Amino acid sequence: MVRFTGWLVLALLVLSGTARAADLFDPDNLIAALEGAVGKAYKEASAKLEAAKTPLEKINALYQRSKAPVKVVSAFVEISDWQRANSDIDEALNLLFHYELDNQTELTGRSNLYFQKGFIAVALKKYKDAIAAYDQAEQFGYAKEHNGNGAELWNNRGNARFNLHQAAAALADYEVAIGKDDTASRRRLRAKARFEVGDYDGAITDWHKAKELDPKTPDAPFDRELIRFNKAIAELPNSPDRFQSRAEFLLKQAEALPDGSDGHSPFDVANALFGDGGTPKKPDAKLEKLRAALSDLDYAVEIEPDSPLPYLERAHARTVWLKLPYGQGERNFADNAPLDDYERAQKIDPTFARAWFGAALFRAAPPRAKNIDLVSLAGDEKEARLNEIRAAIAGFSRAIYCAPTRSGEAHFQRALLERQLSTPDSNTLFTDYSIAIEQKMAPSALFWTSGLDTDEALVEAYSRHAELSVTRGSFQKALDDLDAALKLDENASLFFQRGRLRVRGGNYDGSIADLNEVIKSNPRFADGYFWRAVARDGKGEIEAARGDVQELLKLDESYAKRLKGSRYDAQNPTQRGIAPKPNTPDAPKIPTGTALEHKKAGNDLLLKEDVPGALAEYNASLQIDPDFADALTNRGSIYREDGKVDLALADFNRALEIDAKHSFAYYNRALLWRDLGDAKRQRADLEKAIAYAANDGIKADADAALKTLQKAGE
């Protein structure tokens, strides 16, 4: 009988050379030494492999070389090292198989090869492969080869099963391991398995025993609130909904915790290895809960890969992790992984509004982005950021289309992005702020929100909506907006905004009251004195206005230019006041010219590829004539190209309400249905576009699109 040499030793660290422990406290020295240890061990084993003359010597050498990564703290071993070790152990097993086949003999020690394969598989997170390898090791007598003990096999297989959420099977393995060799670490593992199956009392009992065996054991980490989730999972271990429910609970707990330190810095590792016998700091609770939540969600996705919900929740959990200022090296997903999850959920269910909203929010503010401020970007970086903004706008638009009655925040978020563009569309902004206000943002219970303060967002929506209402000549509507905003937040900027607007409407007493609040809040705010002087001038309180002007000029002499030619001009005073002529309430601002002229101007700009200019002209056309079907259709086409499906559909629908035979509106709406994957509606609109075609061009385009649809079998 032949026995393999070099039994597996799970040493924490083997460092060779003359470096003193003190030298390793420097993080760079420590990491370099740890990484170098793998290469050194591999090189030494490779030399033995080259010197091997017999198949058995080669098997032993491959086995030894496969253990090179085991000799180093696993956190510092590259995946490629483990993969190389896996290739070695596979080659050793293959050689052993052929040796036994050729020699008609069975060798002892084969169980060690399978044990090593299991150990490497765990390092590669291939837990199913690990369990299969450990099963083989058990079958080939691992316990017998280790004098009836071999507890580490059951211990390690239990760990692999635990990682696969097979808590009951893991518990059985831990019990065998403890029966062979009762240690504190194994008691802690069994405690965790017991907790996982809902046995809280058993978990606490095991943990207390672990403390008896090792006084350094920390306090039990078990959260009694999780027991109900654990019991539910134990009853139905293959239910993705139950894993998802526990993950959502853990995620809420994680988000409620403050950021901390994960306690795995090189200094901590060095202290544990070469210091005064201490151990690394306890892992951060927030990170641990996030890790547990993600483990549950990974498993939920594995069980039910065709359900959008686990992907949605995993995207959210991954985003929370990415926002942490630490622990980035411990994650097993890329920076864009949340976006991948959102997009996977969209593919599974194209009508899933929350997935579109989440992806858009991620694009709007990527957690790991170094700079998302357009002002400080230039060239390719700026263009890349603009593309992300446009994609995010399209995503929010799709969310709005999928769930129009609960899309308040999607409208608000879209407006935030629209305002970043060099030429924002006033119609989009007005629509978005109107609906955000109407819906009071999206209900947080639907997990739509990004965590913004709803009242704060509403205040901004009211303020922005008021500004847009003024540009449209709707002064009373603007005042109503500001009244509503001030009920939510009595801040100086809102008082100032309303104070100026009241001056323009001739409500001087109201304006003075507002500006008094502004000046009380900030006595050095020059513009507050200026507008109060304007209000007092309009009211005829000339001396009081002069007093404000004096205070104003003390703060900022440049205001003298704005007072030139008035009764407050210190050099050449006249009788002219500074109060503007009051506006007629709600006098709509209609652009000059005709709706047709503006529509034609829009068409010309579109031919020159000036899309923002064309959009502005179509908006002007529709201000003059809101029922101009051609302008609606053209504007809808621009919105469709921009991904603003809700606005595009509204324009096409309105155009067809006005003109039920508008072939171009039918054709463009058919293109929108194509974008949305609605073949039935696309076909219906194409047929109507052909039937009502006003010219051969539209008819030909619609006919070609219909044939393409028919060819695809839709």
Side-chain angles (χ1 to χ4, degrees):
M1 302 293 283
V2 180
R3 182 179 298 280
F4 293 126
T5 59
W7 296 110
L8 184 63
V9 178
L10 301 180
L12 179 64
L13 178 68
V14 173
L15 287 174
S16 58
T18 58
R20 292 176 294 110
D23 296 331
L24 298 173
F25 273 89
D26 176 72
D28 293 334
N29 287 350
L30 175 66
I31 294 171
L34 290 169
E35 290 174 345
V38 181
K40 185 175 178 64
Y42 185 83
K43 187 176 180 181
E44 290 173 352
S46 295
K48 291 181 180 179
L49 182 60
E50 289 177 12
K53 296 179 179 178
T54 68
L56 294 180
E57 287 175 346
K58 190 172 183 180
I59 292 168
N60 269 303
L62 286 165
Y63 171 62
Q64 289 294 331
R65 194 167 71 172
S66 76
K67 292 196 295 181
V70 180
K71 297 179 180 180
V72 178
V73 178
S74 61
F76 296 94
V77 178
E78 298 288 337
I79 288 295
S80 58
D81 290 323
W82 289 115
Q83 290 170 338
R84 187 170 60 183
N86 191 54
S87 296
D88 280 345
I89 204 67
D90 280 345
E91 186 178 351
L93 282 165
N94 186 51
L95 285 173
L96 178 64
F97 172 76
H98 286 98
Y99 181 88
E100 291 182 331
L101 193 65
D102 293 341
N103 292 278
Q104 296 294 303
T105 185
E106 185 175 320
L107 303 177
T108 61
R110 184 191 330 197
S111 64
N112 292 289
L113 291 178
Y114 280 111
F115 180 92
Q116 176 67 354
K117 180 167 178 61
F119 189 90
I120 294 168
V122 168
L124 291 169
K125 300 188 187 312
K126 295 182 177 180
Y127 301 117
K128 291 180 180 177
D129 291 348
I131 291 168
Y134 287 132
D135 286 347
Q136 291 284 78
E138 181 184 8
Q139 179 184 335
F140 287 110
Y142 188 81
K144 183 179 178 182
E145 290 292 324
H146 291 74
N147 301 317
N149 192 328
E152 62 273 8
L153 185 151
W154 284 268
N155 186 88
N156 292 7
R157 188 171 64 187
N159 292 343
R161 285 173 165 165
F162 192 86
N163 276 294
L164 287 175
H165 296 277
Q166 299 172 7
L171 182 57
D173 272 344
Y174 293 144
E175 286 173 352
V176 174
I178 288 171
K180 291 177 177 293
D181 186 11
D182 194 356
T183 66
S185 64
R186 287 174 185 145
R187 285 281 181 169
R188 289 194 294 268
L189 289 170
R190 189 170 72 175
K192 290 179 180 179
R194 282 179 161 171
F195 177 71
E196 192 74 9
V197 298
D199 181 4
Y200 183 81
D201 293 336
I204 293 296
T205 299
D206 260 345
W207 202 268
H208 286 164
K209 181 62 177 177
K211 266 201 163 183
E212 289 177 19
L213 294 168
D214 179 7
K216 291 181 182 178
T217 296
D219 292 336
F222 306 123
D223 182 353
R224 191 183 280 273
E225 289 186 88
L226 284 173
I227 286 295
R228 58 192 173 98
F229 296 103
N230 295 355
K231 285 183 176 178
I233 288 171
E235 290 170 2
L236 281 175
N238 291 317
S239 168
D241 293 343
R242 300 195 177 194
F243 280 98
Q244 188 178 319
S245 295
R246 185 170 68 180
E248 288 171 0
F249 179 79
L250 287 164
L251 186 54
K252 285 180 183 177
Q253 286 187 320
E255 290 183 286
L257 290 170
D259 292 343
S261 169
D262 66 350
H264 294 297
S265 71
F267 285 107
D268 296 318
V269 176
N271 182 58
L273 298 175
F274 310 113
D276 58 6
T279 56
K281 289 181 290 184
K282 181 181 178 181
D284 176 69
K286 185 164 190 165
L287 203 60
E288 288 298 296
K289 288 188 180 294
L290 276 174
R291 186 179 289 109
L294 280 169
S295 176
D296 279 351
L297 291 167
D298 287 343
Y299 192 55
V301 166
E302 183 181 334
I303 298 170
E304 193 172 20
D306 294 327
S307 171
L309 283 170
Y311 290 101
L312 182 78
E313 293 304 328
R314 188 170 70 177
H316 179 48
R318 284 173 164 177
T319 302
V320 173
W321 189 307
L322 288 174
K323 288 179 180 177
L324 294 176
Y326 57 90
Q328 296 305 319
E330 295 202 4
R331 57 189 166 99
N332 60 353
F333 56 89
D335 286 354
N336 64 342
L339 188 59
D340 293 339
D341 276 344
Y342 284 126
E343 291 178 346
R344 175 63 180 164
Q346 292 166 6
K347 287 179 181 177
I348 293 170
D349 183 359
T351 67
F352 195 22
R354 286 165 56 193
W356 292 101
F357 180 88
L361 198 63
F362 188 87
R363 289 183 185 278
R368 303 295 297 165
K370 293 180 180 179
N371 194 337
I372 58 173
D373 181 12
L374 273 175
V375 176
S376 58
L377 296 176
D380 292 342
E381 283 187 325
K382 185 170 185 177
E383 187 58 34
R385 180 62 194 145
L386 278 169
N387 287 336
E388 283 298 297
I389 288 174
R390 294 184 188 107
I393 287 173
F396 286 127
S397 300
R398 190 66 172 261
I400 291 164
Y401 167 76
C402 293
T405 61
R406 58 179 192 276
S407 59
E409 190 184 339
H411 281 284
F412 181 77
Q413 294 285 356
R414 185 170 69 179
L416 291 179
L417 295 173
E418 184 72 28
R419 283 174 44 222
Q420 292 186 46
L421 302 177
S422 57
T423 51
D425 175 32
S426 61
N427 182 62
T428 299
L429 290 172
F430 190 78
T431 299
D432 283 339
Y433 288 128
S434 297
I435 298 176
I437 290 168
E438 180 187 335
Q439 294 189 10
K440 305 295 182 187
M441 302 295 160
S444 59
L446 293 173
F447 298 101
W448 270 58
T449 62
S450 57
L452 56 74
D453 184 299
T454 301
D455 284 350
E456 186 179 310
L458 274 172
V459 166
E460 181 174 348
Y462 277 122
S463 176
R464 299 288 182 184
H465 194 259
E467 292 172 357
L468 291 163
S469 293
V470 169
T471 64
R472 292 170 172 237
S474 301
F475 293 99
Q476 187 55 52
K477 178 57 183 169
L479 286 169
D480 291 343
D481 284 337
L482 294 171
D483 290 344
L486 281 161
K487 287 180 182 177
L488 294 171
D489 183 9
E490 293 186 347
N491 72 62
S493 63
L494 291 171
F495 279 118
F496 182 64
Q497 188 178 359
R498 190 174 68 177
R500 286 186 303 169
L501 191 57
R502 281 175 163 175
V503 166
R504 294 176 65 177
N507 180 359
Y508 301 120
D509 287 331
S511 176
I512 291 167
D514 281 343
L515 295 164
N516 285 343
E517 292 294 328
V518 174
I519 292 167
K520 182 172 35 173
S521 173
N522 182 4
R524 299 192 59 78
F525 182 50
D527 230 18
Y529 290 101
F530 175 80
W531 283 99
R532 190 169 70 177
V534 172
R536 284 172 166 171
D537 179 78
K539 193 178 178 186
E541 296 177 350
I542 308 302
E543 289 308 311
R546 289 189 196 282
D548 276 341
V549 168
Q550 289 174 1
E551 290 297 322
L552 167 67
L553 294 175
K554 288 178 187 176
L555 294 169
D556 189 346
E557 292 181 354
S558 68
Y559 277 85
K561 294 179 181 178
R562 298 174 69 176
L563 298 169
K564 267 188 177 295
S566 73
R567 59 173 64 107
Y568 306 101
D569 186 342
Q571 303 298 322
N572 299 295
T574 65
Q575 293 301 309
R576 185 173 65 81
I578 55 174
K581 182 180 179 181
N583 288 299
T584 304
D586 290 336
K589 289 190 175 181
I590 304 297
T592 58
T594 67
L596 182 59
E597 288 171 344
H598 283 285
K599 194 267 291 187
K600 286 181 176 178
N603 291 351
D604 291 341
L605 289 170
L606 204 56
L607 288 172
K608 297 175 183 177
E609 298 186 358
D610 181 358
V611 178
L615 188 57
E617 289 293 342
Y618 294 141
N619 283 338
S621 177
L622 289 164
Q623 278 185 271
I624 297 167
D625 181 4
D627 293 336
F628 194 3
D630 287 354
L632 282 165
T633 301
N634 291 1
R635 186 175 71 177
S637 299
I638 290 178
Y639 286 148
R640 187 190 70 79
E641 290 288 342
D642 283 347
K644 297 175 182 176
V645 291
D646 59 310
L647 296 176
L649 186 58
D651 276 353
F652 295 145
N653 288 346
R654 177 67 181 142
L656 289 167
E657 284 175 13
I658 295 162
D659 180 0
K661 295 184 178 181
H662 201 293
S663 59
F664 195 53
Y666 279 118
Y667 177 71
N668 278 280
R669 193 171 69 174
L671 296 180
L672 182 63
W673 296 134
R674 181 200 63 191
D675 297 343
L676 295 170
D678 193 334
K680 185 177 179 181
R681 286 176 171 171
Q682 181 190 356
R683 176 194 292 272
D685 275 354
L686 286 173
E687 288 172 348
K688 288 183 178 179
I690 293 168
Y692 300 129
N695 60 60
D696 293 338
I698 295 175
K699 187 172 184 178
D701 288 344
D703 189 55
L706 185 59
K707 286 178 180 176
T708 300
L709 191 65
Q710 291 169 339
K711 196 173 183 180
E714 300 288 354

